[in-house]
Amino acid sequence: MDSGGNSLPSGPDGVKRKVSYFYDPEVGNYYYGQGHPMKPHRIRMTHALLAHYGLLQHMQVLKPYPARDRDLCRFHADDYVSFLRSITPETQQDQLRQLKRFNVGEDCPVFDGLYNFCQTYAGGSVGGSVKLNHGLCDIAINWAGGLHHAKKCEASGFCYVNDIVLAILELLKQHERVLYVDIDIHHGDGVEEAFYTTDRVMTVSFHKFGDYFPGTGDIRDVGYSKGKYYSLNVPLDDGIDDESYHFLFKPLIGKVMEVFRPGAVVLQCGADSLSGDRLGCFNLSIKGHADCVRYMRSFNVPLLLLGGGGYTIRNVARCWCYETGVALGVEVDDKMPQHEYYEYFGPDYTLHVAPSNMENKNSRQLLEDIRTKLLDNLTKLQHAPSVQFQERPPDTELPEADEDQDDGDERWDPDSDMDVDDERKPLPSRVKKEIVETEVKDQESQKGNAENARGYDAIGNETTGAKAIDTGVNAMAIDEPSVKVEQDTSNKPADQI
């Protein structure tokens, strides 16, 4: 079903999409600790499946440039970011008060490379938004992102930095309205909280509700002040199956798209809502989960796909591989190709797994009541909100590194906030490297570069000549710290650590 939304430059067939996929080959090396359910290794497993199914050749594969301090501070408090940057497993015993203050410890442990991990996954999500803003892709994917529980001043639910909020703030530079949809089994509390009082971001979360982390997301929580009715919460019970899920998802999202008319959509594809998840209690099949991606894709609106939860890692990799195929408009075989993690997928070695026979505690009457109540809430939104035109923050630009360049020192941006490990040798990788730089241009430069933006060269610098719109950042509930942004006079590209 192709309906609604703006038409993208992806052909009249409405099937093919230009997809940018962000992946850092080191992301799978980060380790939360023994027994911890969150395993970044699942991102590496997903990537291996994509490679062996031949999907990488259909996408632009990019290595994200790590988010810098000033990027993270667009949402997070300065002292919290400083804490994340400085804390290590060796020093944590000396900072017990800080650990408690920032909720770092049990669910959100300190581990080797913690800050680099945050920079990497946040960089991919912000980089995806930048690609979408510049019209360089129709869909951007960052399976390492989607960490929706992190708050302005604290970690929560295995999440340290809220890459989703940062990505949405980037999209708001170019789009008057952004829609956030969350199909993780847990409520997307961190994102909802960040945008609770604005009408420029609508948040829709489908989640388990009732004696379940994080305990928020009641159907009566609808937003506040200018943001009233711009938060939509869909509370669900154990065992929900594909049919019940889509009885709610499609009519609600269809109405949201009609009424809110977003310029871009962020879809958090947490895979802990799948049947058989280690921490979950839903009963969705991979195809049922992916139908949400397929439906959002059908509106032809710029789409950012992010990861999230998912703790039976073989099923997480299956799901996100299949959903990458959905984004591309490519149907992948159920029979799994041989690859380095093949043994994880026995004994069937197939992409799809059957849902269980667990009881669906979501009665048809309950579902109809939820649907009626939320559709009624949506009638309170008479029309898409207007946004006054005024000066907006400068565009984040995308100079790209030459993937064949081997001199690590030459790739470092001298204005980067990060320390360089001179001992580190770049890892061999088939992944095209990308960097994302924040630059300030004066108004004359923006006008002068408008022509270049239309004829963007993939290896050169890009700028946007779009007219300024109010991002609404100052009007939102986020108390954004003032961030000093220096003009970058260097043309040297920077690379990932």
Side-chain angles (χ1 to χ4, degrees):
M1 172 182 168
D2 282 317
S3 65
N6 303 316
S7 178
L8 292 183
S10 51
D13 61 337
V15 175
K16 296 299 178 186
R17 299 289 192 276
K18 186 173 182 184
V19 178
S20 292
Y21 164 77
F22 288 80
Y23 176 72
D24 188 310
E26 292 185 39
V27 74
N29 293 331
Y30 296 104
Y31 183 58
Y32 275 62
Q34 187 171 5
H36 198 288
M38 176 63 100
K39 301 186 186 305
H41 177 59
R42 67 203 176 127
I43 313 299
R44 183 161 50 196
M45 291 171 60
T46 303
H47 186 77
L49 280 180
L50 296 178
H52 288 272
Y53 268 109
L55 293 178
L56 295 181
Q57 65 197 38
H58 298 288
M59 305 184 286
Q60 183 183 27
V61 180
L62 301 163
K63 183 176 181 181
Y65 177 69
R68 295 164 299 185
D69 291 9
R70 59 176 175 253
D71 301 322
L72 302 180
C73 287
R74 292 204 60 224
F75 172 58
H76 293 287
D78 295 21
D79 54 353
Y80 176 54
V81 172
S82 297
F83 167 78
L84 291 177
R85 186 177 62 244
S86 63
I87 194 74
T88 68
E90 293 74 31
T91 64
Q92 62 177 326
Q93 290 304 314
D94 301 327
Q95 301 190 51
L96 296 179
R97 181 177 293 181
Q98 293 281 76
L99 288 169
K100 184 176 181 180
R101 175 187 172 195
F102 296 123
N103 197 36
V104 172
E106 294 185 13
D107 281 355
C108 302
V110 178
F111 56 85
D112 286 327
L114 168 60
Y115 190 62
N116 293 343
F117 175 62
C118 295
Q119 291 178 297
T120 298
Y121 76 74
S125 298
V126 174
S129 291
V130 172
K131 280 284 182 184
L132 292 169
N133 277 353
H134 285 272
L136 299 174
C137 63
D138 303 328
I139 300 174
I141 300 174
N142 177 32
W143 295 129
L147 277 67
H148 56 174
H149 295 307
K151 309 297 196 300
K152 176 179 177 177
C153 297
E154 69 176 46
S156 176
F158 316 157
C159 308
Y160 303 86
V161 163
N162 200 314
D163 61 291
I164 306 169
V165 172
L166 297 171
I168 291 172
L169 288 174
E170 189 67 34
L171 289 168
L172 286 171
K173 293 180 181 180
Q174 192 69 27
H175 301 282
E176 294 181 2
R177 293 173 299 281
V178 175
L179 171 65
Y180 172 67
V181 180
D182 190 316
I183 60 173
D184 193 292
I185 195 172
H186 300 97
H187 178 233
D189 58 335
V191 184
E192 177 184 283
E193 181 180 304
F195 299 109
Y196 205 61
T197 63
T198 179
D199 59 1
R200 293 195 57 204
V201 178
M202 188 162 192
T203 61
V204 184
S205 179
F206 297 78
H207 51 269
K208 158 75 174 169
F209 183 72
D211 193 25
Y212 198 73
F213 183 86
T216 52
D218 192 292
I219 195 170
R220 294 169 294 185
D221 297 335
V222 296
Y224 182 73
S225 186
K226 282 179 66 177
K228 190 172 185 181
Y229 299 118
Y230 289 91
S231 291
L232 205 67
N233 283 299
V234 189
L236 303 169
D237 208 341
D238 294 6
I240 192 162
D241 56 22
D242 295 350
E243 182 187 0
S244 297
Y245 203 88
H246 291 286
F247 177 78
L248 294 175
F249 187 89
K250 292 186 177 180
L252 289 174
I253 294 299
K255 189 66 175 177
V256 166
M257 294 299 289
E258 174 193 331
V259 176
F260 186 60
R261 301 206 316 272
V265 175
V266 178
L267 177 60
Q268 196 265 23
C269 303
D272 46 8
S273 45
L274 292 173
S275 179
D277 187 79
R278 178 178 167 185
L279 299 184
C281 54
F282 283 0
N283 200 21
L284 297 182
S285 71
I286 287 171
K287 283 188 176 177
H289 195 274
D291 275 344
C292 298
V293 178
R294 185 175 282 108
Y295 188 63
M296 295 309 320
R297 178 186 186 274
S298 74
F299 291 95
N300 268 11
V301 171
L303 178 62
L304 177 62
L305 297 180
L306 302 175
Y311 307 101
T312 300
I313 61 174
R314 60 184 181 275
N315 291 346
V316 176
R318 285 175 159 123
C319 181
W320 291 344
C321 172
Y322 184 74
E323 289 177 346
T324 303
V326 168
L328 288 164
V330 175
E331 186 65 34
V332 292
D333 292 337
D334 188 33
K335 181 174 172 54
M336 194 168 287
Q338 283 277 353
H339 64 288
E340 55 267 45
Y341 305 113
Y342 190 68
E343 68 276 8
Y344 281 77
F345 301 95
D348 298 327
Y349 304 102
T350 55
L351 196 62
H352 294 280
V353 289
S356 75
N357 60 356
M358 70 184 297
E359 178 191 358
N360 182 356
K361 294 186 178 179
N362 300 270
S363 68
R364 179 53 61 125
Q365 184 62 51
L366 173 68
L367 296 172
E368 287 178 353
D369 290 348
I370 291 172
R371 188 163 86 164
T372 300
K373 169 67 174 170
L374 293 177
L375 286 174
D376 180 63
N377 283 358
L378 288 170
T379 64
K380 312 281 176 52
L381 307 182
Q382 296 300 322
H383 53 79
S386 62
V387 176
Q388 291 183 343
F389 279 69
Q390 52 183 287
E391 187 175 350
R392 63 180 171 87
D395 294 306
T396 303
E397 299 190 351
L398 283 177
E400 293 189 354
D402 186 335
E403 60 186 335
D404 297 321
Q405 186 178 18
D406 292 322
D407 186 349
D409 295 332
E410 287 297 311
R411 290 187 302 226
W412 280 95
D413 174 6
D415 291 334
S416 171
D417 291 342
M418 294 172 302
D419 297 327
V420 182
D421 180 0
D422 293 329
E423 300 296 317
R424 185 192 172 279
K425 296 292 187 290
L427 293 178
S429 168
R430 289 183 293 173
V431 184
K432 181 177 178 184
K433 297 175 178 64
E434 165 165 41
I435 62 166
V436 178
E437 273 294 342
T438 305
E439 296 188 13
V440 177
K441 301 291 185 185
D442 58 26
Q443 292 298 315
E444 290 74 29
S445 295
Q446 287 195 22
K447 292 174 185 174
N449 285 328
E451 298 301 323
N452 295 336
R454 285 192 281 272
Y456 174 78
D457 177 358
I459 306 299
N461 292 344
E462 60 175 284
T463 57
T464 180
K467 293 292 182 185
I469 61 168
D470 169 32
T471 65
V473 172
N474 295 329
M476 288 192 285
I478 302 168
D479 180 19
E480 190 176 36
S482 59
V483 180
K484 182 182 178 184
V485 181
E486 300 175 359
Q487 182 156 349
D488 183 4
T489 58
S490 168
N491 290 322
K492 284 184 181 179
D495 195 15
Q496 166 65 300
I497 53 176

